[in-house]
Amino acid sequence: MSRTLVVFGATGDLTRRKLVPALFNLQRKGRLPDDVRIVGFSRSPLSDDEFRGRMAEALVEFAGAPASDTERDRFLGRLHYVAGSVTDDRGMETLAERLDELEGEQCADRLYYLAIAPRFYAPTVARLGAMDMVCDDHGERRVVVEKPFGTDLASARTLNEAIHEVFEERSVYRIDHYLGKETAQNILFTRFANTVFEPLWNRNYIDHVQITVAESVDVDHRAEFYDGTGVVRDMFQNHLLQLLTLVAMEPPSSFDADAVRNEKHKTLAAVRPITSGRLGLDTVRGQYAGYRTNEGVPDDSETATFAALKLEIDNWRWQGVPFYLRSGKALPEKVSEILVQFRCPPHNMFPLPPGATLSSNYLAICIQPDEGMHLRFEAKVPDTVADLQPVDMEFHYRDNFPGVELPEAYERLLLDALHGDPSLFARSDTIERAWSLMDPVVEGWQTDAAPPLEVYEPGDWGPDGAHALMRRDGRRWKRGCRHC
Ligand code: BG6
């Protein structure tokens, strides 16, 4: 049985920058089965060869290490192109005919990848259904849907319903590229392939958790899109909540997709929605100075480019342990990390100088850029009676796995989708739950209950309110992976 990957939006940025380089790297590593063909579909009138030419340029620009001509030509030979529009029956008919021709009489699994503007997701899926292109008789039919999956709960529900008219849930692969990151995957391995962490991983030993996803870039050429989206929809509803579930979920009974995704869903279901009365206390919204001067952004835009939220999880394990999440653009550096702060020792037996206290331990999980972990604990300073100093036990991928290049998230996600493993993709109920947690924030920020929109200078760690949020709880934001 061969496999066909049909990429809708084949001349777009995502295909050029991420999908095609990822597929090529999979081939280079010997992971892309020989029987996989790739069919691009887009409006530009290109021949197969012209499309191949464009993708060859994309490989040079985005696929990392140079490859031999043979390797490259073998890859380009897998590529085909059909010109047409997803809004037009004729184009889809041509696509259907071309797919039949390429696949021949044999059965072939098909993966439809929607790398198109979100407003075309539902119509494209409907057309696939109407044109009988999802019938499983000749091989499995799956669909990959890029983010954003809806803009709120209502639109996500409508989109889920539209997709479920045509595809069963087991055939729908909703991308959150954070789940494809090696370090995000490693959270489950750290927690559940070891015994040292899990006994401590609860309210008895953990004081709080911080999740930071910071970017140094500003919104730049995406300003017009971004202004209608803002940081909560762009980063929190998906990436930050997914990281939270990986840290907070219960151990699944197996590595099976359903088992893992059930636990993740249960965790999000236990997150307490932020009520209107708590918006001023548990949420902070910021906008970097100069944001409004971007082309396409209104002079009075209230769009947040930074947010900090305090979330609580109402279950046995996490009752009373706050999860502080922050993310923003134009921050000092690009870094994603999770800091699990343990409680202070209950009693100090050491003769510390007046006013000094024992500092508490933390585990910092460095998602990017320098992937690894730091476990911070107190050590005795040599040649002193009882001086203490915090030290780090460190793990870095680059040291422990020298020569192994961490793959791009899309490599793993594409391969899983081709093989039919949905573990690292978001399920409909979980996506909807994530929206139902973030809608009260996005909508509440348009009411009188909203905290003030605070301006921060590009290069600062967000507005003062983000620090005040922590100070009120006697805590502060930390960077545990600073020494990476
Ligand atoms: C995307 C957001 O989902 O994630 C972007 O739309 C953001 O605004 C990007 O820049 C960050 O991804 P990464 O992998 O660079 O951290």
Side-chain angles (χ1 to χ4, degrees):
M1 166 111 60
S2 66
R3 275 162 272 211
T4 309
L5 170 61
V6 183
V7 182
F8 292 99
T11 53
D13 240 25
L14 179 69
T15 308
R16 205 167 62 88
R17 285 172 183 270
K18 297 288 183 189
L19 305 185
V20 160
L23 289 160
F24 179 61
N25 283 329
L26 285 171
Q27 174 185 294
R28 267 213 284 222
K29 294 175 190 171
R31 304 216 178 110
L32 190 66
D34 287 340
D35 61 10
V36 172
R37 67 180 73 77
I38 301 157
V39 179
F41 184 78
S42 229
R43 276 175 309 175
S44 314
L46 301 177
S47 66
D48 280 354
D49 280 343
E50 284 166 330
F51 179 59
R52 288 177 184 141
R54 284 197 188 190
M55 294 306 115
E57 286 166 17
L59 294 183
V60 174
E61 221 177 323
F62 301 111
S68 69
D69 287 355
T70 329
E71 183 80 76
R72 197 201 54 182
D73 291 348
R74 190 161 76 87
F75 178 77
L76 295 176
R78 296 174 186 262
L79 303 185
H80 309 269
Y81 185 81
V82 177
S85 161
V86 289
T87 56
D88 152 41
D89 281 346
R90 184 66 214 120
M92 291 292 263
E93 272 163 27
T94 315
L95 175 65
E97 285 160 17
R98 187 74 192 278
L99 291 175
D100 288 343
E101 183 189 307
L102 288 166
E103 289 165 356
E105 294 293 294
Q106 291 164 355
C107 286
D109 287 344
R110 271 188 210 165
L111 185 64
Y112 297 114
Y113 199 118
L114 308 185
I116 46 182
R119 66 179 187 284
F120 296 122
Y121 293 166
T124 306
V125 168
R127 270 214 165 65
L128 287 172
M131 303 201 53
D132 218 15
M133 292 169 77
V134 290
C135 163
D136 274 347
D137 291 354
H138 300 289
E140 280 196 40
R141 303 291 182 251
R142 304 185 193 112
V143 64
V144 179
V145 190
E146 265 294 331
K147 96 170 245 285
F149 195 93
T151 53
D152 56 13
L153 176 59
S155 56
R157 265 198 192 136
T158 308
L159 182 54
N160 271 329
E161 281 163 11
I163 293 176
H164 289 154
E165 289 277 313
V166 176
F167 289 96
E168 286 181 35
E169 175 60 23
R170 66 178 169 83
S171 307
V172 186
Y173 290 67
R174 298 173 193 78
I175 291 247
D176 182 323
H177 76 280
Y178 263 64
L179 294 179
K181 289 185 191 278
E182 199 63 51
T183 38
Q185 292 170 48
N186 192 43
I187 297 172
L188 288 198
F189 289 82
T190 303
R191 291 188 57 201
F192 304 135
N194 297 295
T195 50
V196 290
F197 300 111
E198 203 47 27
L200 308 179
W201 212 260
N202 57 55
R203 65 189 305 277
N204 298 324
Y205 296 97
I206 292 181
D207 179 73
H208 72 277
V209 175
Q210 302 182 10
I211 302 180
T212 298
V213 178
E215 292 184 274
S216 51
V217 291
D218 57 24
V219 298
D220 199 25
H221 65 280
R222 294 171 76 219
E224 206 169 336
F225 152 80
Y226 192 88
D227 200 60
T229 305
V231 67
V232 174
R233 289 190 177 111
D234 190 42
M235 299 295 289
F236 282 72
Q237 183 273 341
N238 35 67
H239 309 323
L240 278 94
L241 285 184
Q242 287 292 344
L243 292 178
L244 177 146
T245 57
L246 292 170
V247 176
M249 67 194 270
E250 295 300 318
S253 58
S254 75
F255 202 42
D256 168 80
D258 276 340
V260 174
R261 298 199 300 175
N262 285 344
E263 291 306 336
K264 289 176 72 175
H265 183 72
K266 272 155 64 180
T267 305
L268 270 201
V271 173
R272 191 186 307 159
I274 297 179
T275 57
S276 159
R278 297 227 38 111
L279 279 176
L281 295 167
D282 294 343
T283 75
V284 175
R285 54 183 189 132
Q287 188 184 76
Y288 65 81
Y291 169 75
R292 291 176 183 175
T293 59
N294 278 298
E295 212 182 307
V297 175
D299 293 347
D300 57 353
S301 169
E302 291 266 303
T303 298
T305 58
F306 175 96
L309 307 183
K310 174 181 172 184
L311 294 175
E312 303 268 356
I313 303 179
D314 287 325
N315 64 17
W316 193 281
R317 185 190 285 260
W318 295 115
Q319 194 57 239
V321 180
F323 282 67
Y324 300 96
L325 280 51
R326 64 174 169 166
S327 180
K329 304 274 186 201
L331 300 182
E333 57 188 307
K334 179 170 175 68
V335 62
S336 301
E337 72 170 63
I338 300 168
L339 191 131
V340 180
Q341 174 80 59
F342 293 95
R343 290 185 183 282
C344 271
H347 165 69
N348 171 35
M349 58 170 272
F350 301 106
L352 299 182
T357 51
L358 289 174
S359 60
S360 41
N361 311 138
Y362 63 68
L363 177 70
I365 304 171
C366 316
I367 305 290
Q368 59 187 25
D370 193 358
E371 297 83 358
M373 286 190 191
H374 288 226
L375 181 63
R376 159 87 34 123
F377 58 99
E378 295 282 299
K380 176 180 173 293
V381 178
D383 208 14
T384 66
V385 175
D387 285 4
L388 288 162
Q389 187 177 305
V391 293
D392 278 7
M393 227 149 64
E394 298 181 24
F395 151 61
H396 293 288
Y397 278 80
R398 63 163 185 267
D399 299 333
N400 288 70
F401 305 102
V404 180
E405 218 180 290
L406 288 186
E408 265 284 323
Y410 275 94
E411 290 180 29
R412 172 65 190 269
L413 296 174
L414 276 163
L415 202 59
D416 282 3
L418 280 166
H419 286 315
D421 178 354
S423 308
L424 297 179
F425 295 83
R427 221 166 52 182
S428 60
D429 51 353
T430 309
I431 288 248
E432 290 183 14
R433 176 63 187 166
W435 279 121
S436 72
L437 290 171
M438 290 302 109
D439 277 3
V441 176
V442 176
E443 287 161 14
W445 281 358
Q446 285 156 29
T447 68
D448 292 345
L453 178 70
E454 297 178 62
V455 174
Y456 61 97
E457 286 305 315
D460 278 356
W461 279 104
D464 290 343
H467 304 290
L469 170 80
M470 295 299 257
R471 270 199 307 274
R472 274 198 298 278
D473 291 351
R475 299 178 173 119
R476 65 186 172 83
W477 293 106
K478 287 186 185 167
R479 284 289 323 287
C481 302
R482 192 181 292 281
H483 320 290
C484 283

